[in-house]
């Protein structure tokens, strides 16, 4: 990957709303050249999208937890991600090595809602769960070292 593309990605990682004009100023390229490079990075799948950073406490979802899951029946199909995709409280699903098959990151409004979600996860995917509640998040969403 070219150094200028890395610079564009770093700038966008810091501010996904940065205009093509501002990207051009920072990189020394023309606006059209920056636009072409961003579109090419998107087409290649290097840039997958642009998102807003949401304050979950402000929208009523202050409780974050990680839920490790493993099938009750080890011979069952490995289809938990598909079975759980409809549960909006699940923010991320990671396939992992170790005792559990997946770790889910969830955000809910209260402990009671977490308890309800755990029951839904167990029923929908026929899995055993282990839950870790997040007390605080000193940092999250760091951009990669490019």
């Amino acid at each position: 990957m070219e150094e200028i593309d890395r610079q564009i990605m770093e700038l966008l990682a810091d501010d996904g709303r940065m205009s093509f004009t501002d990207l051009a100023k920072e990189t020394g390229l023309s606006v059209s050249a920056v636009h072409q490079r961003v579109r090419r990075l998107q087409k290649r799948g290097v840039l997958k999208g642009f998102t807003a950073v949401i304050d979950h406490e402000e929208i009523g979802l202050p409780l974050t937890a990680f839920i490790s899951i493993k099938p009750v029946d080890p011979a069952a199909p490995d289809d938990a991600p598909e079975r759980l995709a409809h549960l909006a409280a699940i923010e991320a699903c990671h396939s992992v090595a170790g005792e559990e098959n997946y770790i889910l990151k969830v955000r809910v409004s209260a402990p009671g809602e977490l308890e309800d979600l755990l029951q839904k996860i167990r029923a929908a995917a026929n899995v055993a769960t282990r839950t870790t509640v997040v007390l605080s998040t000193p940092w999250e969403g760091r951009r990669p070292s490019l």
Side-chain angles (χ1 to χ4, degrees):
M1 178 173 301
E2 293 181 42
E3 185 57 37
I4 195 72
D5 289 337
R6 289 184 193 283
Q7 186 180 4
I8 289 169
M9 289 188 308
E10 285 178 353
L11 290 165
L12 289 173
D14 288 339
D15 180 3
R17 293 182 56 163
M18 184 176 266
S19 70
F20 290 126
T21 302
D22 290 339
L23 284 168
K25 286 177 188 174
E26 291 289 326
T27 60
L29 297 173
S30 69
V31 173
S32 63
V34 167
H35 187 263
Q36 288 176 339
R37 285 181 177 271
V38 169
R39 293 291 176 241
R40 188 171 51 232
L41 290 167
Q42 288 176 307
K43 193 172 188 173
R44 288 179 40 209
V46 176
L47 286 175
K48 293 185 177 265
F50 302 88
T51 61
V53 178
I54 297 169
D55 184 329
H56 290 88
E57 288 192 26
E58 289 295 321
I59 63 167
L61 299 172
L63 197 157
T64 302
F66 291 97
I67 303 170
S68 300
I69 63 172
K70 64 180 176 181
V72 172
D73 176 7
D78 186 8
D79 60 356
E82 294 82 10
R83 290 173 168 238
L84 299 173
H86 70 283
L87 297 172
I90 300 174
E91 182 176 301
C93 176
H94 303 278
S95 176
V96 296
E99 271 190 54
E100 287 89 9
N101 294 43
Y102 296 93
I103 295 178
L104 312 173
K105 180 179 181 182
V106 304
R107 294 189 191 265
V108 294
S109 63
E113 189 178 340
L114 178 58
E115 187 174 21
D116 292 343
L117 179 61
L118 287 166
Q119 290 174 352
K120 289 175 185 174
I121 289 169
R122 291 177 191 130
N126 194 29
V127 293
T129 62
R130 185 172 53 91
T131 304
T132 303
V133 174
V134 174
L135 298 177
S136 69
T137 304
W139 47 264
E140 179 176 52
R142 293 170 60 170
R143 71 172 166 83
S145 174
L146 300 170

